[in-house]
Amino acid sequence: MADASGGGRAVVHLDRTESMRLLAGAAVGRIVFTRNALPAIRPVNHLVEDGAVVLRTRFTTQLTTAMGGSSPVVVAYEADDIDAVRRVGWSVVVVGFARPVTDPGRVARYESLLQSWVDGEQATVVSIEPEIVTGMRLVERGC
């Protein structure tokens, strides 16, 4: 398919290592979880550490209710960097098990590393262990 400038785009599929590297460099992503049997999506900032995606959230009741307290729950996490004008960029989706981080030392560490973008308490630290990692890069054809 050609864009308005007459050039085409191609999708390049990324391996897990490159996908996680890109995700680690993203400032914000979106967590997708089930709320009242329907999908819910919330933007959050995150970090990638030891292969896990770690985030803080104020959606404690929504996400931890979905987790059943301390039980893991399947979630998706997505981040991207797309240039809407040039129509190039990348997108990464992680699907895995989310668990609340309960170790006080780890919670304190992540609270210091993950500064909230909004006022209000970010009451829960969540770690997502990726089971499925998919990534794609949208490039100008011929690149």
Side-chain angles (χ1 to χ4, degrees):
M1 171 188 271
D3 67 15
S5 65
R9 301 290 178 265
V11 173
V12 176
H13 296 280
L14 305 173
D15 65 20
R16 182 183 183 105
T17 301
E18 177 67 359
S19 295
M20 292 301 289
R21 184 190 71 75
L22 290 168
L23 184 62
V28 67
R30 287 156 291 284
I31 187 164
V32 182
F33 59 98
T34 303
R35 180 177 178 208
N36 299 328
L38 297 171
I41 303 170
R42 299 291 182 266
V44 293
N45 59 334
H46 66 274
L47 62 86
V48 175
E49 185 172 86
D50 297 327
V53 179
V54 181
L55 54 101
R56 289 176 64 197
T57 180
R58 67 184 178 93
F59 302 106
T60 305
T61 56
Q62 296 170 14
L63 188 54
T64 56
T65 297
M67 284 191 257
S70 62
S71 300
V73 64
V74 175
V75 300
Y77 193 79
E78 188 270 344
D80 55 50
D81 184 11
I82 307 271
D83 183 324
V85 174
R86 293 183 49 226
R87 300 180 185 179
V88 296
W90 59 266
S91 179
V92 171
V93 176
V94 168
V95 177
F97 293 99
R99 292 176 175 84
V101 175
T102 58
D103 175 82
R106 288 180 64 208
V107 169
R109 177 173 163 15
Y110 294 137
E111 285 176 345
S112 71
L113 293 172
L114 289 165
Q115 298 302 312
S116 175
W117 290 12
V118 296
D119 291 338
E121 184 178 343
Q122 305 294 307
T124 303
V125 178
V126 175
S127 177
I128 303 168
E129 295 296 327
E131 294 290 321
I132 301 168
V133 178
T134 56
M136 58 79 86
R137 188 179 299 276
L138 186 60
V139 297
E140 294 176 358
R141 195 164 299 282
C143 291

